[in-house]
Short mmCIF file of all heavy atoms in Angstrom, two decimals:
data_model
loop_
_atom_site.label_atom_id
_atom_site.label_comp_id
_atom_site.label_asym_id
_atom_site.label_seq_id
_atom_site.Cartn_x
_atom_site.Cartn_y
_atom_site.Cartn_z
N ASN X 1 122.17 109.39 -31.78
CA ASN X 1 122.37 108.56 -32.95
C ASN X 1 122.69 109.48 -34.12
O ASN X 1 122.09 110.54 -34.27
CB ASN X 1 121.12 107.73 -33.25
CG ASN X 1 121.37 106.67 -34.30
OD1 ASN X 1 122.45 106.09 -34.35
ND2 ASN X 1 120.36 106.40 -35.12
N TYR X 2 123.66 109.05 -34.94
CA TYR X 2 124.10 109.86 -36.05
C TYR X 2 124.08 109.08 -37.35
O TYR X 2 124.33 107.87 -37.37
CB TYR X 2 125.53 110.36 -35.83
CG TYR X 2 125.70 111.28 -34.65
CD1 TYR X 2 126.02 110.77 -33.39
CD2 TYR X 2 125.55 112.66 -34.79
CE1 TYR X 2 126.17 111.61 -32.31
CE2 TYR X 2 125.70 113.50 -33.71
CZ TYR X 2 126.01 112.97 -32.47
OH TYR X 2 126.17 113.82 -31.39
N ALA X 3 123.79 109.78 -38.42
CA ALA X 3 123.93 109.19 -39.73
C ALA X 3 125.41 108.91 -39.99
O ALA X 3 126.29 109.65 -39.54
CB ALA X 3 123.38 110.12 -40.80
N ASP X 4 125.69 107.84 -40.72
CA ASP X 4 127.07 107.48 -41.00
C ASP X 4 127.84 108.61 -41.68
O ASP X 4 129.03 108.80 -41.44
CB ASP X 4 127.13 106.23 -41.87
CG ASP X 4 126.73 104.97 -41.12
OD1 ASP X 4 126.76 104.97 -39.88
OD2 ASP X 4 126.40 103.98 -41.80
N SER X 5 127.15 109.37 -42.50
CA SER X 5 127.80 110.42 -43.27
C SER X 5 128.29 111.58 -42.42
O SER X 5 129.11 112.38 -42.89
CB SER X 5 126.85 110.94 -44.35
OG SER X 5 125.67 111.46 -43.77
N VAL X 6 127.80 111.70 -41.19
CA VAL X 6 128.19 112.84 -40.35
C VAL X 6 128.91 112.42 -39.07
O VAL X 6 129.34 113.30 -38.31
CB VAL X 6 126.97 113.71 -39.99
CG1 VAL X 6 126.22 114.13 -41.24
CG2 VAL X 6 126.04 112.99 -39.02
N LYS X 7 129.05 111.14 -38.83
CA LYS X 7 129.72 110.68 -37.62
C LYS X 7 131.14 111.23 -37.54
O LYS X 7 131.89 111.21 -38.51
CB LYS X 7 129.76 109.16 -37.58
CG LYS X 7 128.44 108.52 -37.23
CD LYS X 7 128.55 107.00 -37.16
CE LYS X 7 127.23 106.37 -36.78
NZ LYS X 7 127.30 104.88 -36.77
N GLY X 8 131.47 111.72 -36.37
CA GLY X 8 132.79 112.30 -36.16
C GLY X 8 132.89 113.75 -36.53
O GLY X 8 133.89 114.40 -36.21
N ARG X 9 131.89 114.28 -37.22
CA ARG X 9 131.90 115.68 -37.65
C ARG X 9 130.82 116.52 -36.99
O ARG X 9 131.03 117.69 -36.71
CB ARG X 9 131.75 115.77 -39.16
CG ARG X 9 132.85 115.07 -39.94
CD ARG X 9 132.76 115.38 -41.43
NE ARG X 9 131.51 114.90 -42.02
CZ ARG X 9 130.60 115.68 -42.61
NH1 ARG X 9 130.82 116.99 -42.70
NH2 ARG X 9 129.50 115.15 -43.13
N PHE X 10 129.66 115.91 -36.76
CA PHE X 10 128.52 116.63 -36.18
C PHE X 10 128.28 116.17 -34.75
O PHE X 10 128.51 115.00 -34.41
CB PHE X 10 127.24 116.37 -36.99
CG PHE X 10 127.22 116.98 -38.36
CD1 PHE X 10 128.34 117.55 -38.93
CD2 PHE X 10 126.03 116.98 -39.09
CE1 PHE X 10 128.31 118.11 -40.20
CE2 PHE X 10 125.98 117.54 -40.35
CZ PHE X 10 127.11 118.10 -40.91
N THR X 11 127.79 117.08 -33.93
CA THR X 11 127.44 116.76 -32.55
C THR X 11 126.09 117.38 -32.21
O THR X 11 125.90 118.58 -32.37
CB THR X 11 128.50 117.28 -31.57
OG1 THR X 11 129.78 116.74 -31.89
CG2 THR X 11 128.14 116.87 -30.14
N ILE X 12 125.18 116.54 -31.71
CA ILE X 12 123.88 117.03 -31.29
C ILE X 12 123.90 117.19 -29.77
O ILE X 12 124.49 116.38 -29.05
CB ILE X 12 122.75 116.07 -31.73
CG1 ILE X 12 121.38 116.68 -31.46
CG2 ILE X 12 122.89 114.71 -31.08
CD1 ILE X 12 120.23 115.88 -32.08
N SER X 13 123.26 118.24 -29.29
CA SER X 13 123.20 118.49 -27.87
C SER X 13 121.93 119.27 -27.54
O SER X 13 121.20 119.69 -28.45
CB SER X 13 124.43 119.26 -27.39
OG SER X 13 124.52 120.53 -28.00
N ARG X 14 121.67 119.46 -26.28
CA ARG X 14 120.47 120.18 -25.85
C ARG X 14 120.73 120.93 -24.56
O ARG X 14 121.60 120.56 -23.77
CB ARG X 14 119.30 119.22 -25.68
CG ARG X 14 119.56 118.16 -24.62
CD ARG X 14 118.52 117.07 -24.62
NE ARG X 14 118.82 116.06 -23.60
CZ ARG X 14 118.16 114.95 -23.42
NH1 ARG X 14 117.12 114.66 -24.21
NH2 ARG X 14 118.52 114.10 -22.47
N ASP X 15 119.96 121.98 -24.36
CA ASP X 15 120.01 122.78 -23.16
C ASP X 15 118.58 122.89 -22.66
O ASP X 15 117.79 123.67 -23.19
CB ASP X 15 120.61 124.15 -23.44
CG ASP X 15 120.80 124.99 -22.19
OD1 ASP X 15 120.15 124.73 -21.18
OD2 ASP X 15 121.62 125.93 -22.24
N SER X 16 118.24 122.12 -21.63
CA SER X 16 116.87 122.10 -21.15
C SER X 16 116.44 123.43 -20.54
O SER X 16 115.26 123.79 -20.60
CB SER X 16 116.69 120.97 -20.12
OG SER X 16 117.55 121.13 -19.02
N ALA X 17 117.38 124.17 -19.97
CA ALA X 17 117.05 125.46 -19.38
C ALA X 17 116.58 126.45 -20.43
O ALA X 17 115.78 127.35 -20.14
CB ALA X 17 118.25 126.02 -18.63
N LYS X 18 117.07 126.30 -21.64
CA LYS X 18 116.70 127.19 -22.74
C LYS X 18 115.71 126.56 -23.71
O LYS X 18 115.32 127.19 -24.68
CB LYS X 18 117.94 127.63 -23.50
CG LYS X 18 118.91 128.46 -22.69
CD LYS X 18 120.09 128.90 -23.54
CE LYS X 18 121.03 129.79 -22.75
NZ LYS X 18 122.18 130.24 -23.57
N ASN X 19 115.33 125.31 -23.44
CA ASN X 19 114.45 124.56 -24.35
C ASN X 19 114.98 124.59 -25.78
O ASN X 19 114.24 124.78 -26.74
CB ASN X 19 113.02 125.12 -24.31
CG ASN X 19 112.30 124.81 -23.02
OD1 ASN X 19 112.61 123.83 -22.34
ND2 ASN X 19 111.33 125.65 -22.67
N THR X 20 116.26 124.37 -25.89
CA THR X 20 116.93 124.50 -27.17
C THR X 20 117.81 123.29 -27.47
O THR X 20 118.48 122.77 -26.58
CB THR X 20 117.78 125.78 -27.21
OG1 THR X 20 116.94 126.92 -27.01
CG2 THR X 20 118.48 125.93 -28.55
N MET X 21 117.77 122.87 -28.72
CA MET X 21 118.62 121.80 -29.21
C MET X 21 119.61 122.40 -30.21
O MET X 21 119.28 123.34 -30.93
CB MET X 21 117.77 120.73 -29.89
CG MET X 21 118.57 119.59 -30.51
SD MET X 21 117.50 118.37 -31.33
CE MET X 21 116.81 119.36 -32.66
N TYR X 22 120.80 121.82 -30.25
CA TYR X 22 121.84 122.34 -31.12
C TYR X 22 122.41 121.25 -32.01
O TYR X 22 122.36 120.06 -31.69
CB TYR X 22 122.99 122.93 -30.29
CG TYR X 22 122.57 123.99 -29.31
CD1 TYR X 22 122.32 123.67 -27.98
CD2 TYR X 22 122.44 125.31 -29.72
CE1 TYR X 22 121.93 124.65 -27.08
CE2 TYR X 22 122.05 126.29 -28.82
CZ TYR X 22 121.80 125.96 -27.50
OH TYR X 22 121.42 126.92 -26.61
N LEU X 23 122.96 121.68 -33.11
CA LEU X 23 123.73 120.79 -33.97
C LEU X 23 125.02 121.52 -34.34
O LEU X 23 124.99 122.48 -35.10
CB LEU X 23 122.96 120.41 -35.24
CG LEU X 23 123.67 119.41 -36.15
CD1 LEU X 23 123.77 118.05 -35.48
CD2 LEU X 23 122.94 119.28 -37.49
N GLN X 24 126.11 121.05 -33.76
CA GLN X 24 127.42 121.59 -34.09
C GLN X 24 127.96 120.82 -35.29
O GLN X 24 128.12 119.61 -35.22
CB GLN X 24 128.37 121.47 -32.90
CG GLN X 24 129.78 121.98 -33.17
CD GLN X 24 129.84 123.46 -33.41
OE1 GLN X 24 129.24 124.23 -32.66
NE2 GLN X 24 130.53 123.88 -34.46
N MET X 25 128.24 121.53 -36.36
CA MET X 25 128.70 120.92 -37.59
C MET X 25 130.12 121.39 -37.89
O MET X 25 130.36 122.58 -38.08
CB MET X 25 127.77 121.27 -38.75
CG MET X 25 126.31 120.90 -38.50
SD MET X 25 125.25 121.22 -39.93
CE MET X 25 125.33 123.01 -39.99
N ASN X 26 131.03 120.45 -37.92
CA ASN X 26 132.43 120.74 -38.21
C ASN X 26 132.86 120.02 -39.48
O ASN X 26 132.21 119.08 -39.93
CB ASN X 26 133.33 120.30 -37.05
CG ASN X 26 133.02 121.01 -35.76
OD1 ASN X 26 132.67 122.19 -35.75
ND2 ASN X 26 133.17 120.30 -34.64
N SER X 27 133.96 120.46 -40.03
CA SER X 27 134.52 119.85 -41.24
C SER X 27 133.46 119.70 -42.32
O SER X 27 133.30 118.64 -42.93
CB SER X 27 135.14 118.49 -40.91
OG SER X 27 136.16 118.62 -39.95
N LEU X 28 132.75 120.76 -42.56
CA LEU X 28 131.63 120.71 -43.50
C LEU X 28 132.09 120.43 -44.92
O LEU X 28 133.15 120.90 -45.35
CB LEU X 28 130.84 122.01 -43.44
CG LEU X 28 129.93 122.13 -42.21
CD1 LEU X 28 129.52 123.57 -41.98
CD2 LEU X 28 128.69 121.25 -42.38
N LYS X 29 131.26 119.68 -45.62
CA LYS X 29 131.52 119.30 -47.00
C LYS X 29 130.41 119.83 -47.90
O LYS X 29 129.30 120.06 -47.44
CB LYS X 29 131.58 117.77 -47.12
CG LYS X 29 132.58 117.10 -46.21
CD LYS X 29 132.47 115.59 -46.31
CE LYS X 29 133.46 114.89 -45.39
NZ LYS X 29 133.33 113.41 -45.47
N PRO X 30 130.69 120.00 -49.18
CA PRO X 30 129.63 120.45 -50.10
C PRO X 30 128.39 119.56 -50.06
O PRO X 30 127.28 120.07 -50.21
CB PRO X 30 130.31 120.41 -51.47
CG PRO X 30 131.75 120.65 -51.16
CD PRO X 30 132.00 119.94 -49.85
N GLU X 31 128.57 118.27 -49.85
CA GLU X 31 127.44 117.37 -49.80
C GLU X 31 126.57 117.54 -48.56
O GLU X 31 125.50 116.93 -48.46
CB GLU X 31 127.88 115.90 -49.93
CG GLU X 31 128.99 115.51 -48.97
CD GLU X 31 130.37 115.56 -49.62
OE1 GLU X 31 130.66 116.53 -50.36
OE2 GLU X 31 131.16 114.62 -49.39
N ASP X 32 127.01 118.36 -47.62
CA ASP X 32 126.19 118.70 -46.46
C ASP X 32 125.17 119.78 -46.79
O ASP X 32 124.30 120.08 -45.96
CB ASP X 32 127.05 119.16 -45.29
CG ASP X 32 127.95 118.07 -44.74
OD1 ASP X 32 127.48 116.91 -44.63
OD2 ASP X 32 129.11 118.37 -44.42
N THR X 33 125.28 120.36 -47.96
CA THR X 33 124.35 121.41 -48.37
C THR X 33 122.92 120.86 -48.40
O THR X 33 122.64 119.87 -49.07
CB THR X 33 124.73 121.96 -49.74
OG1 THR X 33 126.00 122.60 -49.66
CG2 THR X 33 123.70 122.97 -50.23
N ALA X 34 122.03 121.52 -47.69
CA ALA X 34 120.65 121.07 -47.59
C ALA X 34 119.87 122.05 -46.74
O ALA X 34 120.45 122.94 -46.10
CB ALA X 34 120.57 119.67 -46.97
N VAL X 35 118.57 121.87 -46.73
CA VAL X 35 117.73 122.54 -45.74
C VAL X 35 117.67 121.64 -44.53
O VAL X 35 117.33 120.46 -44.64
CB VAL X 35 116.32 122.83 -46.28
CG1 VAL X 35 115.46 123.46 -45.20
CG2 VAL X 35 116.39 123.73 -47.50
N TYR X 36 118.00 122.18 -43.38
CA TYR X 36 118.02 121.41 -42.15
C TYR X 36 116.78 121.72 -41.33
O TYR X 36 116.44 122.88 -41.10
CB TYR X 36 119.28 121.73 -41.34
CG TYR X 36 120.51 121.06 -41.89
CD1 TYR X 36 121.08 121.49 -43.09
CD2 TYR X 36 121.11 119.99 -41.23
CE1 TYR X 36 122.20 120.86 -43.61
CE2 TYR X 36 122.23 119.37 -41.74
CZ TYR X 36 122.77 119.81 -42.93
OH TYR X 36 123.89 119.18 -43.44
N PHE X 37 116.12 120.66 -40.88
CA PHE X 37 114.87 120.78 -40.14
C PHE X 37 115.02 120.24 -38.73
O PHE X 37 115.62 119.19 -38.51
CB PHE X 37 113.75 120.00 -40.83
CG PHE X 37 113.38 120.51 -42.19
CD1 PHE X 37 114.03 120.03 -43.32
CD2 PHE X 37 112.40 121.48 -42.35
CE1 PHE X 37 113.69 120.48 -44.58
CE2 PHE X 37 112.06 121.94 -43.61
CZ PHE X 37 112.70 121.45 -44.72
N CYS X 38 114.43 120.94 -37.80
CA CYS X 38 114.33 120.47 -36.43
C CYS X 38 113.06 119.64 -36.30
O CYS X 38 112.01 119.99 -36.83
CB CYS X 38 114.28 121.67 -35.49
SG CYS X 38 114.08 121.26 -33.75
N ASN X 39 113.17 118.53 -35.57
CA ASN X 39 112.04 117.63 -35.38
C ASN X 39 111.89 117.28 -33.91
O ASN X 39 112.87 117.11 -33.19
CB ASN X 39 112.23 116.35 -36.19
CG ASN X 39 111.22 115.27 -35.83
OD1 ASN X 39 111.52 114.36 -35.06
ND2 ASN X 39 110.02 115.37 -36.39
N ALA X 40 110.64 117.17 -33.47
CA ALA X 40 110.35 116.75 -32.11
C ALA X 40 109.20 115.76 -32.11
O ALA X 40 108.18 115.97 -32.76
CB ALA X 40 110.00 117.95 -31.23
N TYR X 41 109.39 114.66 -31.39
CA TYR X 41 108.33 113.68 -31.20
C TYR X 41 107.75 113.91 -29.83
O TYR X 41 108.43 113.73 -28.81
CB TYR X 41 108.88 112.26 -31.34
CG TYR X 41 107.83 111.19 -31.41
CD1 TYR X 41 107.00 111.08 -32.52
CD2 TYR X 41 107.66 110.28 -30.37
CE1 TYR X 41 106.03 110.10 -32.59
CE2 TYR X 41 106.69 109.29 -30.44
CZ TYR X 41 105.88 109.20 -31.55
OH TYR X 41 104.92 108.22 -31.62
N TYR X 42 106.48 114.31 -29.83
CA TYR X 42 105.84 114.81 -28.61
C TYR X 42 104.45 114.20 -28.50
O TYR X 42 103.57 114.52 -29.30
CB TYR X 42 105.78 116.34 -28.67
CG TYR X 42 105.13 117.04 -27.51
CD1 TYR X 42 105.78 117.18 -26.30
CD2 TYR X 42 103.87 117.61 -27.65
CE1 TYR X 42 105.20 117.86 -25.24
CE2 TYR X 42 103.28 118.29 -26.60
CZ TYR X 42 103.95 118.41 -25.39
OH TYR X 42 103.37 119.09 -24.35
N TYR X 43 104.26 113.34 -27.52
CA TYR X 43 102.97 112.69 -27.26
C TYR X 43 102.36 112.11 -28.54
O TYR X 43 101.24 112.45 -28.93
CB TYR X 43 102.01 113.67 -26.58
CG TYR X 43 102.40 114.00 -25.17
CD1 TYR X 43 103.05 115.19 -24.86
CD2 TYR X 43 102.13 113.11 -24.13
CE1 TYR X 43 103.42 115.49 -23.56
CE2 TYR X 43 102.49 113.40 -22.82
CZ TYR X 43 103.13 114.59 -22.54
OH TYR X 43 103.49 114.89 -21.24
N THR X 44 103.08 111.26 -29.16
CA THR X 44 102.71 110.47 -30.34
C THR X 44 102.70 111.26 -31.65
O THR X 44 102.43 110.68 -32.71
CB THR X 44 101.34 109.77 -30.19
OG1 THR X 44 100.27 110.70 -30.35
CG2 THR X 44 101.23 109.08 -28.84
N ASP X 45 102.99 112.54 -31.61
CA ASP X 45 102.98 113.36 -32.83
C ASP X 45 104.36 113.91 -33.14
O ASP X 45 105.16 114.19 -32.24
CB ASP X 45 102.00 114.52 -32.71
CG ASP X 45 100.56 114.07 -32.71
OD1 ASP X 45 100.23 113.10 -33.42
OD2 ASP X 45 99.74 114.69 -32.00
N ASN X 46 104.63 114.06 -34.42
CA ASN X 46 105.84 114.68 -34.89
C ASN X 46 105.60 116.13 -35.24
O ASN X 46 104.58 116.48 -35.86
CB ASN X 46 106.38 113.96 -36.12
CG ASN X 46 107.31 112.81 -35.77
OD1 ASN X 46 108.23 112.98 -34.98
ND2 ASN X 46 107.06 111.66 -36.37
N TYR X 47 106.54 116.98 -34.85
CA TYR X 47 106.47 118.40 -35.15
C TYR X 47 107.74 118.82 -35.86
O TYR X 47 108.83 118.29 -35.58
CB TYR X 47 106.27 119.22 -33.88
CG TYR X 47 104.97 118.92 -33.18
CD1 TYR X 47 104.88 117.89 -32.26
CD2 TYR X 47 103.82 119.66 -33.47
CE1 TYR X 47 103.67 117.60 -31.63
CE2 TYR X 47 102.62 119.37 -32.83
CZ TYR X 47 102.55 118.35 -31.92
OH TYR X 47 101.35 118.06 -31.30
#
C-alpha cells in the first residue's frame, strides 16, 4: 500500500533471506524531504 503522494515513484520490497526491507525512491521531489522511519508490527507491538 502506498501513499497517494508517492504512487508510481516509490517501491517497497523485502528480502527475507537478509531480514531486510527496502524503499526504492525515484523521481524525488523537494517535498519528499523528511526523516524516514522503518516500522514493524510484531506480535501486537509496533517497533
